[in-house]
């Protein structure tokens, strides 16, 4: 009698299930990315320079030239401006998130992660959490610079912290858009360009730098329903930076900016996290 034996290779590691394990895997990946950032400090430093330049330039170049609620003083515009600068800073981190993931893809690191028994979404979640930590550091430095140039808040500490929380939530939501872009292109350079090209119209067709009531009608409607505008408006209210007599548009997101900001951010996270994880699975098979 002849015995036929079949030899099979080692089975590919299967990801461990469970929410707790997924959280642990995500934190491990986040730690890896934070250590990487610390070893390349110039990335963090250059990330701080741009928003600081925006604060100084906008404050002293446009301050006094734009009327905010009938007030043309530099101090009024400075307080009006800062929520927009904060929001622009957290959303522009999208390009960095996309470039980092594209770089990992280009070097084959993502394929190595796939060979490990870890949750499939942990790689992207860990990356976005690390980017959130870096963004938080940038916002802290930016707030200090804003205080130096004359920005002030006029509400309680809890409301101010809530305003920053909404800004960081928006930044985290947009980092998932960056993750999807990073998985969809071939090089980090393309991810950087793709991560910025759509952000400029999004941030400038908004209430971030000028009141939307002076825009043409069709642009005004876009600005009022822009998720970026909702977060800026919410931050201004929570910081107490809306001057007396400032005309609040009738659009629902402008009348209820806190609720609109949370809603937009949660929807963006749910939609783009789903798309990014799906793309991650198919792009690296």
């Amino acid at each position: 009698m002849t015995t036929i034996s079949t030899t099979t290779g080692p089975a590919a590691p299967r990801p461990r299930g469970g929410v707790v394990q997924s959280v642990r895997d995500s934190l491990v990946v986040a730690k890896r990315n934070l250590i990487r950032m610390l070893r390349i400090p110039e990335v963090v430093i250059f990330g701080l320079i741009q928003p600081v330049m925006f604060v100084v330039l906008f404050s002293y170049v446009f301050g006094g030239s734009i009327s905010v609620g009938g007030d043309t003083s530099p101090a009024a515009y400075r307080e009006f401006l800062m929520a927009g600068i904060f929001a622009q800073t957290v959303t522009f981190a999208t390009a960095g998130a996309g470039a980092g993931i594209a770089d990992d893809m280009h070097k084959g690191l993502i394929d190595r992660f796939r060979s490990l028994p870890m949750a499939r979404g942990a790689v992207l979640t860990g990356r976005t959490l690390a980017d959130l930590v870096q963004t938080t550091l940038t916002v802290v430095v930016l707030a200090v610079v804003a205080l130096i140039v004359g920005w002030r808040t006029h509400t309680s500490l809890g409301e101010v912290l809530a305003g920053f929380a909404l800004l960081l939530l928006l930044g985290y939501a947009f980092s998932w858009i960056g993750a999807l872009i990073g998985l969809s292109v071939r090089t980090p350079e393309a991810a950087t360009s793709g991560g910025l090209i759509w952000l400029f119209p999004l941030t400038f067709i908004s209430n971030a730098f000028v009141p939307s009531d002076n825009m043409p009608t069709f642009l005004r409607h876009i600005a009022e329903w822009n998720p970026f505008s909702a977060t800026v408006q919410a931050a201004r209210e929570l910081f107490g930076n809306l001057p007396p007599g400032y005309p609040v548009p009738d659009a629902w997101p402008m009348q209820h900016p806190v609720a609109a900001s949370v809603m937009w951010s949660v929807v963006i996270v749910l939609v783009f996290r789903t798309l990014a994880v799906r793309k991650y699975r198919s792009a690296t098979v």
Side-chain angles (χ1 to χ4, degrees):
M1 174 182 283
T2 302
T3 303
I4 300 176
S5 62
T6 58
T7 303
T8 59
R14 306 180 75 177
R16 294 166 289 184
V19 175
V20 174
Q21 188 60 52
S22 179
V23 171
R24 288 177 181 172
D25 292 342
S26 299
L27 293 178
V28 169
V29 176
K31 181 180 178 181
R32 171 257 175 191
N33 282 286
L34 289 173
I35 292 173
R36 181 185 180 188
M37 290 175 187
L38 291 174
R39 291 176 178 173
I40 315 175
E42 55 267 27
V43 174
V44 179
I45 294 172
F46 291 150
L48 292 172
I49 292 175
Q50 178 180 310
V52 170
M53 288 177 59
F54 271 111
V55 172
V56 175
L57 290 174
F58 273 84
S59 296
Y60 292 105
V61 173
F62 293 105
S65 302
I66 297 177
S67 174
V68 182
D71 190 345
T72 57
S73 66
Y77 181 67
R78 213 168 281 136
E79 293 195 353
F80 175 85
L81 169 72
M82 280 315 304
I85 294 291
F86 285 134
Q88 183 190 56
T89 299
V90 300
T91 53
F92 270 39
T94 299
I101 291 174
D103 187 50
D104 287 344
M105 289 277 294
H106 185 68
K107 293 177 178 178
L109 186 63
I110 298 295
D111 288 332
R112 297 177 203 169
F113 281 134
R114 283 182 58 84
S115 68
L116 300 174
M118 62 190 301
R120 287 289 180 250
V123 174
L124 301 180
T125 302
R127 175 74 207 198
T128 55
L129 289 175
D131 289 328
L132 179 61
V133 173
Q134 182 179 355
T135 302
T136 302
L137 174 62
T138 303
V139 169
V140 170
V141 174
L142 191 58
V144 172
V145 174
L147 290 171
I148 293 173
V149 301
W151 173 66
R152 296 292 182 270
T153 59
H154 307 284
T155 52
S156 66
L157 177 62
E159 289 173 301
V160 172
L161 292 177
F164 282 116
L166 288 179
L167 290 165
L168 292 173
L169 177 61
L170 180 71
Y172 180 71
F174 274 47
S175 69
W176 281 105
I177 302 178
L180 180 61
I181 293 173
L183 292 167
S184 303
V185 299
R186 296 184 179 181
T187 64
E189 293 79 9
T192 301
S193 300
L196 288 175
I197 193 169
W198 60 275
L199 279 174
F200 279 104
L202 184 79
T203 54
F204 282 95
I205 305 177
S206 71
N207 60 357
F209 306 113
V210 295
S212 60
D213 56 335
N214 292 327
M215 296 180 181
T217 302
F218 74 99
L219 284 181
R220 186 173 70 248
H221 290 318
I222 294 174
E224 290 170 354
W225 285 88
N226 185 342
F228 186 85
S229 295
T231 300
V232 170
Q233 186 77 0
R236 285 187 181 129
E237 286 192 2
L238 292 168
F239 294 157
N241 287 158
L242 284 176
Y246 178 78
V248 178
D250 293 331
W252 184 85
M254 298 295 98
Q255 292 291 326
H256 307 87
V258 175
S261 176
V262 173
M263 181 191 71
W264 274 119
S265 295
V266 170
V267 168
I268 291 171
V269 170
L270 292 176
V271 171
F272 284 93
R273 187 184 189 280
T274 301
L275 294 175
V277 172
R278 185 178 300 172
K279 184 67 176 180
Y280 167 79
R281 289 172 176 170
S282 63
T284 56
V285 171

